[in-house]
Amino acid sequence: LPQGQGPNKWMTDDQEHLSRLYGMTCVVLLLLYCVFIIGERVVIAVLSLVKGVYEPSGYDQHKDFSSGMGRESFAYVPQLMEVPGFHFPLLICNIDDVDVRLIGWKDPNFDSETDPHRNYDIHNLIYDVPHETLKRSRNKKAGRNSKPHQEKEDRPIYSIVKHYPPQW
């Protein structure tokens, strides 16, 4: 800058004028860059909070989750996958409120037509630790005489898994 010359002036008046003009031009260009480039990103970020920015790709295939159960739709059912000595995963949740087709695998050695949930009882760890929130015991069908599920202040021992199928 021209005022930084000190007592020994080595710039002419025209050089001082041009260096001031060059300095102001650089400041203006820097401000314009900040306003247009960085400001545009700020505006996009603020607008994305107010206005939806998702644009779907593809088309609606008219498939709902419940119509493809067991073939192409599976739920996340908590299970221990690779346990030595077991050929099938061990379930670590109560599956009485879940359609068994959502589990994703079936043990061919156990096949109960009347209650498909019993097919998984041997693989379910919830029966290994008795607790009051169980609706039934292992390999017993839940009936009218069984103790209803009671809501307690205690947290459940195992994960809760439910499926709410549509009413059609």
Side-chain angles (χ1 to χ4, degrees), residues 52-127:
V53 293
Y54 173 74
E55 302 218 2
S57 61
Y59 58 94
D60 183 7
Q61 298 179 4
H62 301 290
K63 292 181 180 180
D64 59 328
F65 178 80
S66 294
S67 68
M69 286 191 315
R71 293 185 313 272
E72 56 191 34
S73 300
F74 300 103
Y76 171 72
V77 178
Q79 47 192 307
L80 299 173
M81 294 303 287
E82 296 177 14
V83 179
F86 292 94
H87 296 291
F88 292 96
L90 296 175
L91 299 171
I92 49 177
C93 63
N94 188 348
I95 60 167
D96 287 339
D97 295 328
V98 175
D99 191 324
V100 293
R101 294 177 295 172
L102 292 173
I103 294 176
W105 57 270
K106 183 178 180 184
D107 187 351
N109 298 323
F110 297 95
D111 192 20
S112 172
E113 296 291 328
T114 57
D115 187 12
H117 291 92
R118 288 176 48 197
N119 299 341
Y120 296 92
D121 284 354
I122 192 127
H123 304 289
N124 204 330
L125 295 179
I126 67 168
Y127 302 112

Side-chain angles (χ1 to χ4, degrees), residues 27-43:
V27 168
V28 168
L29 288 176
L30 181 65
L31 287 175
L32 286 174
Y33 175 80
C34 290
V35 167
F36 285 110
I37 303 300
I38 297 173
E40 178 186 13
R41 292 181 182 171
V42 170
V43 168

